[in-house]
């Protein structure tokens, strides 16, 4: 990741991207990725770091979002 970037804990409990992994034979799954434009240079300046909960990160992200784009790819085996 770029200097200054970090991950907060995900649904798996890890600070990493878990990837798309639908079970073999399942219908295709939708995956939602959101990209936010912020009114601050970074959320670390707002007290958000890799140790905050995903809820705290999300609250601060939404509070500082001035634009948002959503990508919804579909993937299956």
């Amino acid at each position: 990741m770029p200097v200054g970037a970090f991950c907060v804990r995900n649904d798996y409990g890890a600070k990493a991207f878990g990837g798309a992994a639908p079970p073999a034979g399942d219908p295709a799954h939708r995956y939602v990725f959101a990209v936010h434009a912020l009114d601050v240079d970074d959320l670390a300046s707002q007290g958000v770091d890799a140790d905050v909960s995903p809820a705290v990160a999300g609250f601060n992200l939404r509070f500082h979002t001035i634009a948002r784009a959503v990508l919804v790819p579909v993937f299956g085996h």
Side-chain angles (χ1 to χ4, degrees):
M1 289 193 293
V3 173
F6 59 87
C7 290
V8 293
R9 187 176 61 254
N10 62 24
D11 292 343
Y12 307 119
K15 293 179 183 177
F17 176 62
D26 258 18
H29 290 221
R30 295 180 318 136
Y31 294 87
V32 180
F33 296 92
V35 180
H36 300 255
L38 306 178
D39 63 357
V40 293
D41 288 338
D42 59 56
L43 290 179
S45 65
Q46 306 302 306
V48 176
D49 62 19
D51 295 322
V52 300
S53 70
V56 169
F59 173 81
N60 281 279
L61 183 65
R62 294 197 194 291
F63 186 74
H64 290 286
T65 296
I66 56 176
R68 180 174 180 241
V70 177
L71 304 168
V72 185
V74 178
F75 177 74
H77 289 285

